Structure formats: C-alpha cells, structure tokens
Amino acid sequence: MLCAAGWGVVLARLRAGVHGPARGPCLFAHTITPAGIVLTCALIGFGSLYATIALAAEWWALLLVTGFRPERLLSTGGLGRLAAWAAVTAAVVYLMTRLVFPA
C-alpha cells in the first residue's frame, strides 16, 4: 500500500510540476517503472518483495527530500539533494527490510 501510495503521489506531483519537453518522457518513465520492476524480477526469478520495498522507500524519500516537489531533485538541489535522497533511501530500505524480514 505504501508503494502504491508513494507512486501515486510522485505521479501527481510530477504532472503538476514538470513542464515543457521533459514532461512526456518523465511521466512515461515514472508510469512504466512498477511494471518494469515486476517484469525484471520475474525474468531473473527473484521475488519482487525486495524491489517493492526499495521502490516505496525511493518514492517516499524523494518526496521527503524534495519537499513534495520531485522535479527539484536535480534542477535546484544539485548533487547535495541527490546524495541526500540516496542516503535517506538506503536508511529507509534497511529499516523496512528489517521490519518485514526480522532476523
């Protein structure tokens, strides 16, 4: 549920925030991401639960780091915002994986 909600919020914010020639490719890439992840996991024979956890963490971390304006990831934040997104994503993936798969 968190993955689907994060995907939807990012899609809504991208639709509202991205303008010009980048809008079509940006929305297309975001729209096909869930299907691409599921198909990739099926192709390599690996369950998609880990990928779903990672996607949910990425989308919510993106919203958190950019202040719910994902188009700002590279346009105004530079590499600092990108690094913050990667760090928050890694931390959330680790925590969520430990919650779903307790050792």
Side-chain angles (χ1 to χ4, degrees), residues 35-99:
I37 291 296
V38 170
L39 291 174
T40 301
C41 290
L43 180 66
I44 63 174
F46 190 69
S48 62
L49 184 57
Y50 287 108
T52 303
I53 292 170
L55 281 177
E58 288 173 11
W59 288 324
W60 287 106
L62 175 65
L63 293 168
L64 179 70
V65 168
T66 61
F68 281 78
R69 295 193 57 205
E71 70 275 5
R72 287 200 247 171
L73 182 63
L74 293 175
S75 65
T76 61
L79 292 178
R81 187 168 280 159
L82 185 63
W85 176 55
V88 171
T89 298
V92 173
V93 166
Y94 177 77
L95 291 173
M96 292 308 298
T97 303
R98 300 300 291 166
L99 285 173

